[in-house]
Each structure stands twice: as C-alpha cells, then as structure tokens.
Amino acid sequence: MSTESAPDVGTLYIVATPIGNLADISQRGLQILQQVAVIAAEDTRHSKGLLDHYRISARLLSLHDHNEAQRAQQLLVKLQQGLDIALISDAGTPLISDPGYHLVNLCRSQGIRVVPIPGACALIAALCASGLPTDQFAFYGFLPVKEMARREQLSRLKNAKGTAVFYEAPRRILDTVLLLIEEVGEDRTLVLAKELTKTFETFKKGPAAEVATWLQADPVHQKGEFVLMVGPGEEESGKMPDEAINLLMSLTKELPLKKAAAITASHYGLKKNALYQLGLQLQ
Ligand code: SAM
C-alpha cells in the first residue's frame, strides 16, 4: 500500500519551532507555515507571538492535551477536503513531550501524508553538546510527579548502558538530583543543560553530588528550563586497573567496603561508587 495520500488530499506538516533563539527555524519551516491553510498550535496566543515575529498570518486552531482527540477528527476532515495543515507546539519539535500523537497516528491510519520539517529539539541540542555518550541513549521525557514513581524510574538507571535524558521543571530539578544521588550514587556523572539557545545558556557537568551543590549554591541556578542527562552506569567498572582492584580487595580485609572504595578511588583517581559496586560483586 502506498504511504502517499491522493493528490486532492492535504498534507500534515510537523514543523519544529525555536526553543529560545528565534533564529532557530528552518527556511523550509517558515515557507510551510506561510503556505498552509491552517496551523494547529498548542497555545494559539503563544504561537501568535511567534508567527507575528515572522510576519506569518495563518488561521490558528488550538490542539492541546485536553482537546486533541476531538480536534484530530476535525483536522482530518479538513485534510481530506484537500487543505494543508501545519502542526506546531509552544517550542521545539511537536510530539516530543508535546501534543500531536493522536493526530499523526490518525492521519497515518487514514493514508494522509505526514511530513516532518525538522529543527530545534531540547533533547538533541542538550545531548550533542553534553560530552556524554551519544551512541546509545534513552529519552524519558518528564519524570512522574509522585515521589515513589520517580524513585522507581531513577533506580532503574543504576546499571543503564547509555545516556539517560529527561526534561525537568525548575521547581523539581534539585529534588530530582537529590533523588538520583540516593538511587544511583553521588559519583554518577550528570549534565544539566539550562536555557538552551538563550542568553544564559549553561551546561553544568560533574558527579551528581557536585551538581547538587551547584544547584544549591545560588537560587538563580535552579531557574529556567532544564534538560537533565545521566551518564551510563558502571561505565568504568569493566576498565578498572588490576592494581586498583588488588588494593581494594586488600583494604576490604581490614576496612568496611565503603572506606576501602574511597581510599582506592582517591589513590588511583577513580570513581568511588564504581569501586564500591565492583567490591560488592567481588565480595
Ligand atoms: N517539544 C519540545 C522539544 O522539542 O524539546 C519540548 C517540550 S516540553 C513541554 C518542555 C521542556 O523541554 C521544558 O520543561 C524543558 O525541560 C525542555 N526545554 C525546552 N526548551 C528548553 C531550553 N531552551 N533549554 C533547556 N530545556 C528546554
């Protein structure tokens, strides 16, 4: 079956918009927004500001979490009548922790052509500049609000192979980092990407304990938009030098594992938690 829709049927364009810097929109994205009959937007007032900036006057219709199922049906009728439609969200790429899934799914199931117009996305912007592994990563969107569920999700990162990426609200960023320390250890490498593409864009990278201290050092550090990235678990345990393992095991004969891991870590410049975990496995 062809994935192309019939010529007299409209196309749904998924258009990425900026996440801060208004120059971050593609020429093709602007062209499409100028051409389409209707722009479906998460918050029409917010998007009106953006469209005014680019001098684009198009009919705006709201499509958000609370009306998406019904709105998707209405937009489908318009597409079937031959109108082209663009979907945008408040910032970045629609459907990435933003509405649009029902609409795209419906359009695909009805043979409507869906065309992505790529551009800004906080997840990708943060990851590519983080210095964390990018060959394997998992994106989790926002963590659950309830503490038990958050804890449970974070605890699953203990032995995660790739980089884990989260979106987080400023009012929860410190709590989340403190929970991470409890669940995966204070030595785990974290990167906070804050206010991406904006004037005060900041990357803070370091062991979880250091990142928590930085957040607590100044209330300004906890303000703004955040992407939180968690480096892979146990990344170094496989590469631990034999001398370090020997020292660790000798020390554990006389000392508690935690103390032995701390001494070995500082002697060889290794991660305390990685040595501790290795000690647990070897004991
Ligand atoms: N669809 C968007 C995208 O493509 O990135 C994400 C929408 S989601 C509702 C909003 C969250 O994305 C924010 O709470 C924040 O975690 C992250 N975010 C968006 N813009 C950001 C920015 N400029 N800097 C850092 N994080 C950002």
Side-chain angles (χ1 to χ4, degrees):
M1 195 182 87
S2 165
T3 54
E4 299 295 298
S5 47
D8 52 350
V9 167
T11 297
L12 174 67
Y13 294 95
I14 310 299
V15 182
T17 57
I19 55 170
N21 187 322
L22 290 178
D24 291 336
I25 186 161
S26 71
Q27 285 193 17
R28 190 167 161 233
L30 290 174
Q31 254 168 28
I32 295 290
L33 292 177
Q34 255 144 10
Q35 280 165 17
V36 290
V38 174
I39 298 177
E42 194 181 356
D43 175 342
T44 50
R45 275 181 51 191
H46 175 94
S47 293
K48 173 105 181 37
L50 183 84
L51 297 174
D52 284 351
H53 175 84
Y54 302 121
R55 300 205 168 88
I56 293 171
S57 55
R59 187 162 164 231
L60 277 169
L61 278 181
S62 69
L63 181 139
H64 45 70
D65 286 338
H66 306 291
N67 74 353
E68 186 172 346
Q70 179 205 7
R71 188 63 98 199
Q73 292 291 344
Q74 293 166 352
L75 293 173
L76 176 66
V77 172
K78 290 187 189 302
L79 288 157
Q80 286 169 334
Q81 287 168 346
L83 297 180
D84 286 339
I85 294 178
L87 173 69
I88 60 175
S89 61
D90 286 355
T93 302
L95 281 88
I96 305 303
S97 292
D98 268 339
Y101 169 74
H102 291 290
L103 176 64
V104 171
N105 196 25
L106 180 68
C107 287
R108 287 244 166 250
S109 73
Q110 297 301 311
I112 300 285
R113 195 164 164 237
V114 182
V115 174
I117 310 293
C121 180
L123 141 73
I124 299 298
L127 184 66
C128 72
S130 67
L132 289 171
T134 54
D135 54 341
Q136 228 188 99
F137 68 90
F139 173 60
Y140 297 93
F142 289 97
L143 282 160
V145 174
K146 296 233 165 84
E147 188 187 315
M148 278 282 279
R150 290 156 78 71
R151 205 178 262 287
E152 214 267 310
Q153 188 164 343
L154 293 176
S155 73
R156 280 192 246 134
L157 299 179
K158 225 169 257 167
N159 300 309
K161 291 268 183 296
T163 299
V165 188
F166 298 90
Y167 286 163
E168 190 51 289
R171 64 182 176 285
R172 278 197 279 266
I173 190 71
L174 177 60
D175 279 357
T176 300
V177 170
L178 294 175
L179 270 187
L180 263 168
I181 290 175
E182 285 176 32
E183 295 302 325
V184 300
E186 61 178 19
D187 293 333
R188 189 66 163 270
T189 303
L190 303 187
V191 180
L192 286 182
K194 175 167 138 57
E195 297 289 87
L196 288 161
T197 77
K198 304 184 198 176
T199 313
F200 296 106
E201 177 180 279
T202 306
F203 279 81
K204 174 65 196 165
K205 181 173 187 181
E210 189 183 308
V211 172
T213 306
W214 180 80
L215 282 169
Q216 286 162 318
D218 185 340
V220 170
H221 293 172
Q222 290 178 45
K223 294 213 169 94
E225 294 195 284
F226 289 94
V227 180
L228 166 64
M229 289 160 284
V230 184
E234 303 315 316
E235 54 199 316
E236 285 177 350
S237 59
K239 308 180 223 145
M240 211 62 87
D242 286 346
E243 307 89 295
I245 298 174
N246 291 341
L247 175 62
L248 176 73
M249 295 328 283
S250 307
L251 289 172
T252 50
K253 288 182 189 139
E254 308 294 333
L255 296 169
L257 177 57
K258 204 167 176 188
K259 185 94 188 140
I263 295 172
T264 312
S266 99
H267 191 74
Y268 287 104
L270 296 167
K271 287 192 174 171
K272 201 165 53 181
N273 192 44
L275 281 158
Y276 180 77
Q277 296 297 333
L278 183 65
L280 286 178
Q281 284 166 30
L282 297 177
Q283 269 183 346

